[in-house]
């Protein structure tokens, strides 16, 4: 008998530990019972504005306690939550709403103006509702889900790809469940655990903290955004035991720590969002910060490979081993498994890995080989099976933990008059790890770097906009005319 | 996508934490890497004596480190382990071997003589091998399982029932997995955890500790059997943090503790095997023993309902709430759900619940209502949803944690000349909680209580043999001539 159902997570949690804290934010603490009550209320109000089982509803909000309420409200209705990155441009968001067949954009009031512009750009009629304004709606008495089917779709989160078109990663309840459970088997589970979320909840790294909260019965210390003072204070004084960060955040936190130490009870600094520089890891080790390096992506519902602190020095730079129910292998271009110490593409498999991209059979065909996901990332295993990631997905630029795909930026630039050819690569940056920069071959019309950057700002999220434009006579290409981005990276040394 | 496979648990564990201790017993410590090596060696030797994928192999042994080796050896071959209670009579064991279609009896040397008698009673040819003698076998180079399919059958454990015929409870890998994970979500998971197993490994309560060990990466402190001095010493001096016990064991441990206290690091006394007397729970609370009362059975792969220590006083006598992925409800005789405080039959549902009894469609039809298992136990939920178990399965006698079904004992007695009618019930007992006693209506032939007890010893495990025989003129029956065992229990007060 295959397991498919369990009680609705929030009902179960509110039944087991009703008075424990679910969310602690600037507004105050929210218990699991309150979270359940608010979520159910919101579900009935959403039902009143027409949300039905199976509907796709986009949540467009920065971090707040409303976020989990909205998420669970949709879940109680059997609707699917499409999580929108608030940093994207209206055009980018409209693309995702169209692609995910969203019927309602559920938005925080601060996003309301942007939302109107998004709606204007969308292909079809999309209802717009402000989360805060829902309070005036009546509650429609509809049956709420009492059980969760692990095979049901819960969230869709978009990720770009080498092809440039963002793809909707589908997460079932099961994907999130197994991610949370696998992490607990790795990190342990303590009744005093409190997890800090400064990552955006619309990213899978932030989202996974909400999932852990309800499954473990653990409070989330929720911040609007990463603020070094607030995070430092939370770890030093607010009994936070675990935090999810990207390298840039860790760097700033260590500056702030400035030679002192976190309390002994702080037990996990989960470091994701791309490979960390070795000097940073060495400094963190010296500061006795319990860093767990991880490797993961939207498609794996957050971490799938993790290095425990006891290996932080002997396996410095490694992302560790696949979590208990997960597997990884390295294959060469022919698809054969590579021996130890030989680089190749990283393939992963496990119950936290997405079943596929939403309505994108082409991408699914490319990415999946039976149950294995081809990540496009390059790495190798050492003799003891520890993973070393050499390169994130071909040409991927990671800027402050956000993914920037050169192909996506290039396709926006090629729409411009005056640009004949373009190549986008990442440039090392002290603050952000990497920033995108563009190499441009002009066409006959005149174009300036300011014009190019303005154009990008109209169409792209800020973090994707090239920080510099280099005009060149030609781009390096191979025999089949494929752009050689690695050669562009070499050229950066001259600028 | 339904999750079905994961890496073989022992391979994964040996990869993640090869040098951590898996088993600590009187022989010494065994690491996960060693456990893996020995299990694989044993698998290849078992292959050499003819064990094939899908074969049913009975393990007949008291507790030792060979037990998990044998279990995982079978698992590597894709064979099913039938776990035999060493306290059963040869006839009872032969019944199980026949019923489970066992092809090989894999036995510890101390059980070898009994095994020969068992084999003689079995219907068909069953191969007999001593675990210790397997060492001389060659290793056959066969492919060993690298992945586990959660839907595959792993173990069969027999349980008797109200009908008297033992039934083979099938556990998939998934049942054991979910049991271990659900327990961790309830009890937490600490890298310093060490679990004491003094329960027999052929019982699901002991078996579940082995499953936790490999899934959590946790050492098991394994004892041959429950010995109050050894258990006391392990908790006081051997860094044991958790232990599984039945009420009789806890009683003795508290006597031994005699007013002193266990170390702070001892964090979980998991109390199962039937309802615990309230005075015992009160004494345990006073002694600051962190007792987790549980309710579970072979069919639920061990605990499915658990009371946390923080409720030990306010909910004294309750078995607690269903574990996170599990559900329970109370129904009346018509099958409708009972309101709070109203007693009825306890039904449970969850991924740790067996899919059914081996080749026993009649029992399966009776026990399962869709995905709900009708336990036959009687209980109620209080206003806050805490379970109180009033009566274990109709007429079930629990003697020192072992289940004794009156119907089974009665059917053995009715085979005897001289017995016309018989009724078996449980009598309160200071040492064992309960012991079985028999009320007998003689037929015309003469029969003595010694003869009756001798007959039982030939056919039944010792713990099932009535400790007293009361000759009576008639048995209390209802209008449809059904034996009223509760009236016999009342009569016990006169003896």
């Amino acid at each position: 008998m295959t397991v498919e159902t369990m009680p609705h997570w929030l009902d179960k949690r509110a039944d087991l530990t009703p008075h424990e804290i679910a969310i602690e934010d600037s507004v105050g603490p929210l218990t699991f019972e309150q979270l359940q009550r608010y979520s159910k209320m919101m579900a009935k109000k959403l039902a009143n504005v027409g949300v039905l089982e199976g509907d796709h509803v986009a949540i467009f909000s920065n971090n707040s306690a409303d976020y989990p309420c909205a998420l669970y409200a949709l879940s109680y209705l059997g609707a699917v939550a499409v999580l929108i990155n608030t940093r994207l441009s209206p055009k980018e968001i409209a693309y995702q709403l169209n692609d995910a067949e969203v019927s309602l954009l559920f938005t925080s009031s601060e996003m309301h103006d942007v939302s109107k512009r998004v709606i204007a750009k969308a292909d079809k009629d999309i209802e717009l509702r402000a989360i805060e304004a829902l309070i005036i709606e009546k509650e429609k008495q509809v049956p709420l889900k009492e059980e969760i089917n692990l095979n049901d779709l819960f969230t869709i989160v978009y990720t770009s790809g080498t092809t440039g078109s963002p793809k909707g990663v589908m997460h079932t309840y099961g994907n999130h469940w197994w991610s949370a459970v696998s992490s607990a088997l790795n990190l342990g589970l303590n009744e005093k655990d409190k997890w800090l979320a400064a990552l955006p909840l619309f990213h899978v790294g932030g989202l996974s903290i909400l999932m852990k909260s309800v499954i473990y019965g653990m409070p989330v210390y929720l911040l609007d955004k990463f603020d070094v003072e607030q995070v430092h204070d939370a770890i030093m004084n607010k009994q936070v035991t675990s935090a999810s960060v990207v390298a840039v955040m860790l760097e700033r936190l260590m500056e702030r720590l400035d030679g002192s130490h976190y309390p002994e009870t702080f037990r996990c600094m989960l470091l994701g969002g791309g490979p960390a520089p070795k000097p940073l890891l060495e400094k963190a080790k010296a500061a006795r910060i319990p860093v767990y390096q991880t490797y993961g992506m939207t498609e794996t519902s957050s971490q799938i490979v993790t290095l425990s602190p006891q290996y932080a020095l002997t396996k410095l730079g490694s992302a560790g081993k696949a979590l208990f129910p997960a597997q990884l292998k390295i294959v060469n271009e022919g698809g054969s498994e590579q021996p130890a110490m030989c680089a190749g593409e990283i393939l992963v498999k496990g119950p936290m890995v997405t079943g596929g991209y939403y309505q994108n059979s082409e991408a699914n065909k490319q990415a999946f080989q039976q149950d294995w996901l081809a990540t496009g990332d390059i790495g190798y295993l050492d003799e003891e099976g520890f993973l070393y990631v050499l390169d994130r997905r071909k040409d991927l630029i990671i800027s402050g933990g956000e993914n920037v795909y050169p192909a996506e930026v290039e396709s926006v630039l090629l729409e411009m008059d005056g640009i004949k050819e373009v190549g986008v690569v990442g440039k090392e940056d002290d603050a952000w790890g990497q920033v995108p920069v563009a190499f441009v071959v002009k066409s006959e019309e005149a174009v300036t770097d300011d014009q190019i950057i303005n154009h990008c700002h109209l169409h792209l999220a800020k973090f994707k906009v090239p920080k510099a434009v280099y005009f060149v006579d030609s781009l390096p290409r191979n025999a089949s005319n494929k752009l050689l981005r690695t050669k562009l990276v070499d050229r950066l040394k001259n600028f």
Side-chain angles (χ1 to χ4, degrees), chain A:
Chain A
M1 187 186 58
T2 304
V3 179
E4 292 188 339
T5 60
M6 58 173 79
H8 191 284
W9 298 342
L10 187 51
D11 286 348
K12 185 68 181 189
R13 178 47 61 201
D15 180 40
L16 289 175
T17 54
H19 309 306
E20 300 287 325
I21 304 302
I23 308 282
E24 196 178 328
D25 69 0
S26 54
V27 181
L30 195 71
T31 66
F32 285 105
E33 196 173 55
Q34 290 168 326
L35 180 60
Q36 180 199 35
R37 198 162 62 238
Y38 296 154
S39 301
K40 288 191 160 181
M41 193 177 71
M42 199 182 272
K44 289 173 184 167
K45 288 171 185 288
L46 281 171
N48 201 51
V49 305
V51 176
L52 298 171
E53 180 163 0
D55 279 0
H56 290 193
V57 174
I59 303 179
F60 186 38
S61 168
N62 288 317
N63 287 4
S64 86
D66 284 339
Y67 212 101
C69 288
L71 207 54
Y72 289 117
L74 293 173
S75 157
Y76 277 124
L77 294 172
V80 175
V82 182
L83 310 188
I84 302 296
N85 185 331
T86 57
R87 296 167 189 167
L88 299 183
S89 72
K91 191 179 167 185
E92 290 170 312
I93 297 170
Y95 177 88
Q96 297 186 5
L97 301 189
N98 290 334
D99 191 67
E101 304 186 285
V102 162
S103 56
L104 176 89
L105 181 59
F106 197 38
T107 173
S108 62
S109 52
E110 61 171 338
M111 291 297 155
H112 208 255
D113 288 344
V114 183
S115 296
K116 284 184 193 159
R117 280 184 282 150
V118 169
I119 295 284
K121 285 185 193 294
D123 291 348
K124 57 159 193 160
D125 277 356
I126 294 177
E127 188 105 12
L128 175 63
R129 293 282 165 168
I131 297 174
E132 295 85 346
L134 202 72
I135 195 86
I136 59 161
E137 289 294 332
K138 288 200 178 116
E139 292 179 29
K140 186 171 177 182
Q141 294 310 314
V142 291
L144 301 180
K145 294 271 173 195
E146 293 180 354
E147 286 195 335
I148 275 174
N149 185 317
L150 291 184
N151 295 320
D152 281 350
L153 185 56
F154 185 12
T155 57
I156 297 179
V157 179
Y158 273 78
T159 178
S160 294
T162 45
T163 56
S165 293
K167 298 170 287 185
V169 178
M170 297 188 289
H171 298 123
T172 61
Y173 287 92
N175 291 144
H176 289 302
W177 170 269
W178 283 89
S179 174
V181 163
S182 302
S183 178
L185 288 175
N186 182 50
L187 300 177
L189 204 56
N190 193 299
E191 56 178 348
K192 296 222 168 68
D193 284 341
K194 184 194 286 191
W195 205 298
L196 180 133
L199 298 177
L201 298 175
F202 52 74
H203 273 334
V204 79
L207 177 62
S208 69
I209 303 173
L210 294 183
M211 302 291 109
K212 288 183 173 103
S213 165
V214 72
I215 293 169
Y216 302 170
M218 174 186 75
V220 174
Y221 191 92
L222 182 63
L223 294 178
D224 307 350
K225 59 178 191 299
F226 179 78
D227 173 284
V228 69
E229 278 309 319
Q230 284 185 298
V231 175
H232 181 78
D233 176 56
I235 299 176
M236 295 302 269
N237 308 313
K238 302 286 166 55
Q239 294 81 50
V240 159
T241 61
S242 310
S244 299
V245 294
V246 299
V248 179
M249 297 177 182
L250 180 58
E251 190 86 57
R252 295 196 202 162
L253 283 169
M254 281 179 39
E255 270 170 35
R256 177 62 186 79
L257 197 58
D258 193 24
S260 67
H261 298 288
Y262 290 140
E264 286 286 317
T265 46
F266 182 74
R267 69 185 194 86
C268 169
M269 185 73 91
L270 199 69
L271 176 63
K278 279 197 189 181
L280 174 64
L281 295 171
E282 278 160 355
K283 274 195 285 179
K285 182 77 188 170
R288 300 204 301 263
I289 299 176
V291 171
Y292 287 76
Q293 263 206 277
T294 70
Y295 168 72
M297 61 210 78
T298 307
E299 287 87 339
T300 60
S301 313
S302 79
Q303 50 164 337
I304 185 166
V305 179
T306 302
L307 186 75
S308 301
Q310 68 260 39
Y311 294 107
L313 266 192
T314 50
K315 298 290 181 182
L316 192 75
S318 167
K321 294 195 170 190
L323 296 178
F324 199 94
Q327 300 175 62
L328 70 89
K329 65 181 179 185
I330 307 292
V331 300
N332 64 20
E333 292 196 353
S336 312
E337 214 165 325
Q338 292 282 64
M341 307 308 290
C342 288
E345 185 176 8
I346 302 168
L347 270 63
V348 294
K349 177 179 173 179
M352 68 291 280
V353 177
T354 176
Y357 303 104
Y358 184 66
Q359 292 192 343
N360 196 333
S361 56
E362 188 53 42
N364 287 331
K365 220 170 78 184
Q366 276 183 23
F368 292 94
Q369 298 160 11
Q370 279 130 3
D371 293 334
W372 289 89
L373 169 74
T375 64
D377 297 336
I378 305 302
Y380 67 90
L381 300 176
D382 73 7
E383 303 286 355
E384 292 175 283
F386 285 82
L387 174 68
Y388 290 77
V389 181
L390 295 174
D391 256 319
R392 285 305 295 256
R393 264 165 271 197
K394 253 191 176 65
D395 314 316
L396 173 61
I397 302 163
I398 302 181
S399 187
E402 290 276 7
N403 290 353
V404 182
Y405 285 88
E408 187 181 8
V409 183
E410 288 162 6
S411 73
V412 164
L413 285 171
L414 286 172
E415 291 168 4
M416 262 191 97
D417 290 337
I419 291 186
K420 189 175 156 198
E421 289 177 43
V422 63
V424 170
V425 293
K427 188 181 177 188
E428 301 303 314
D429 182 89
D430 283 346
W432 302 104
Q434 285 184 299
V435 291
V437 297
F439 287 83
V440 169
V441 181
K442 290 189 203 185
S443 63
E444 278 154 33
E445 299 97 88
V447 70
T448 67
D449 50 0
D450 274 356
Q451 285 170 329
I452 291 174
I453 285 171
N454 285 341
H455 175 83
C456 288
H457 273 293
L458 284 177
H459 299 280
L460 291 170
K462 198 175 159 193
F463 62 85
K464 298 178 186 171
V465 174
K467 298 298 167 288
V469 177
Y470 308 113
F471 293 106
V472 291
D473 293 334
S474 68
L475 294 176
R477 295 188 182 274
N478 69 6
S480 44
N481 213 34
K482 195 169 172 291
L483 179 65
L484 297 172
R485 289 204 186 83
T486 49
K487 296 228 167 168
L488 286 179
V489 173
D490 292 341
R491 282 206 208 166
L492 274 179
K493 290 164 195 154
N494 306 327
F495 291 95

